[in-house]
Amino acid sequence: MGRYEVIYSRCDQTGFIQTEPPYWLDEAYQQVIADLDIGLLQRNAEKVELACEVLRQICPDRRRLLDYGGGYGVFTRMMRDRGFPFRHTDAYCECLFAKGFEVDLADTPKQETFDCITAWEVFEHLEDPMTVFDELLGRGKSLLFSTILVPDPTPTSADQWWYFLPETGQHVSFYTQQSLQYVADRFGVAFYTDGVAHHLLTRETVAHDPFRDAGPIRQFINKLKAKLGLGTLSRTEAALQAGEALRQSDYQLALQRLHQSWERDAANQNTPPIEPADG
């Protein structure tokens, strides 16, 4: 956030990375959706495609579905448009696009369960993720979620991996495949992952790996790998390149504006800002 020096620690057993206790979160969430999250709408469109494929495999009846930490309600609205009766919950953000379909988990009996709960880009925000895993796996037969896995080799400073996003102060927990397997073992559920960013914890009997066997999902994952620099875009995906380049330039513009606001604040307070790291 341009003003705090923060320690990141890594678990020797699982590779899980977490900041020191995040005393800055109240400040970080004065604006719930960060200005740097310029990919919010595109991300929701992508998650809809993936979720439709996975849900058709793991809960074809698609009766009770919940999007946890659903922000403005974009995903819930889009999934309902596809025929999936999603509900929405987010304790910190106003639901704009799925009004009338909100769920307050605090007022929902714990024995009332969901066939599947989704949680997109939530777990990297959590100071105490095991508590949330416990709650969601207690309320849902399956938990389908996204968080980008720590790359190999492991970054040794916050400027070596963009997903740390120290500018916003909102990302505080970072997962490896081993750490998510630890979660699965702890709660006695099956674990599936695409090895990049999308994961499934489930008590359902799944005949096949839902990320491996569906052609549309494999195409989606290949595109994601290319975006993250883990693969190469095919010729059929060339149309995406212009959009990705524009989103990246928009992100850099938002980052520049953020740094300029830090400099203005520091000048007004007559205190030097922390120099932002390159990358």
Side-chain angles (χ1 to χ4, degrees):
M1 298 177 65
R3 48 173 77 71
Y4 303 117
E5 296 282 357
V6 173
I7 295 172
Y8 292 70
S9 298
R10 179 178 181 271
C11 172
D12 290 336
Q13 179 183 356
T14 68
F16 174 75
I17 295 174
Q18 192 171 49
T19 67
E20 62 186 274
Y23 51 83
W24 58 87
L25 287 187
D26 286 345
E27 186 179 350
Y29 284 103
Q30 288 180 1
Q31 182 177 350
V32 177
I33 306 297
D35 287 342
L36 291 183
D37 192 5
I38 54 100
L40 184 148
L41 292 180
Q42 176 66 19
R43 183 171 66 248
N44 275 279
E46 293 172 347
K47 302 311 182 194
V48 165
E49 297 302 322
L50 179 135
C52 287
E53 292 293 334
V54 173
L55 290 173
R56 289 188 184 109
Q57 297 180 63
I58 66 172
C59 52
D61 291 339
R62 55 180 97 162
R63 293 176 182 172
R64 288 188 51 78
L65 305 168
L66 176 70
D67 189 35
Y68 179 85
Y72 296 136
V74 175
F75 177 81
T76 295
R77 179 66 267 157
M78 294 177 73
M79 289 301 289
R80 294 188 69 86
D81 292 345
R82 298 291 189 96
F84 293 83
F86 262 87
R87 310 285 286 188
H88 166 280
T89 186
D90 194 316
Y92 304 101
C93 188
E94 181 184 2
C95 179
L96 300 178
F97 298 102
K99 289 186 180 297
F101 301 104
E102 300 96 327
V103 170
D104 186 346
L105 289 181
D107 293 335
T108 304
K110 289 193 174 182
Q111 62 269 25
E112 189 173 344
T113 60
F114 297 89
D115 295 315
C116 185
I117 298 174
T118 56
W120 306 119
E121 299 302 294
V122 170
F123 281 91
E124 63 274 9
H125 293 261
L126 302 179
E127 179 182 2
D128 185 11
M130 291 302 283
T131 297
V132 178
F133 277 121
D134 186 26
E135 178 183 18
L136 298 187
L137 290 171
R139 292 179 176 271
K141 298 177 183 177
S142 298
L143 173 60
L144 176 63
F145 64 105
S146 70
T147 189
I148 297 179
L149 297 179
V150 175
D152 184 20
T154 302
T156 57
S157 67
D159 62 347
Q160 292 183 357
W161 187 33
W162 69 271
Y163 201 60
F164 282 132
L165 277 180
E167 289 85 2
T168 71
Q170 295 184 357
H171 285 194
V172 298
S173 295
F174 308 91
Y175 305 81
T176 62
Q177 191 163 324
Q178 293 86 349
S179 67
L180 294 179
Q181 184 64 61
Y182 172 88
V183 173
D185 294 342
R186 174 80 174 270
F187 293 103
V189 297
F191 170 51
Y192 300 92
T193 179
D194 66 6
V196 182
H198 303 93
H199 323 285
L200 173 68
L201 298 170
T202 183
R203 292 187 174 87
E204 299 281 11
T205 300
V206 180
H208 305 285
D209 184 336
F211 297 113
R212 180 175 301 170
D213 298 324
I217 291 181
R218 294 310 310 166
Q219 295 175 16
F220 172 83
I221 293 168
N222 288 337
K223 292 177 183 179
L224 176 65
K225 287 181 176 180
K227 287 167 60 176
L228 298 178
L230 303 175
T232 303
L233 284 172
S234 67
R235 292 181 62 186
T236 59
E237 298 162 343
L240 294 174
Q241 292 180 340
E244 288 304 323
L246 187 56
R247 276 190 291 274
Q248 182 61 28
S249 64
D250 289 349
Y251 173 82
Q252 292 298 328
L253 179 59
L255 194 62
Q256 179 182 355
R257 289 170 175 166
L258 180 62
H259 289 166
Q260 289 172 346
S261 72
W262 291 351
E263 293 171 358
R264 287 194 298 270
D265 291 344
N268 291 336
Q269 298 171 11
N270 294 318
T271 57
I274 295 175
E275 287 295 329
D278 292 338

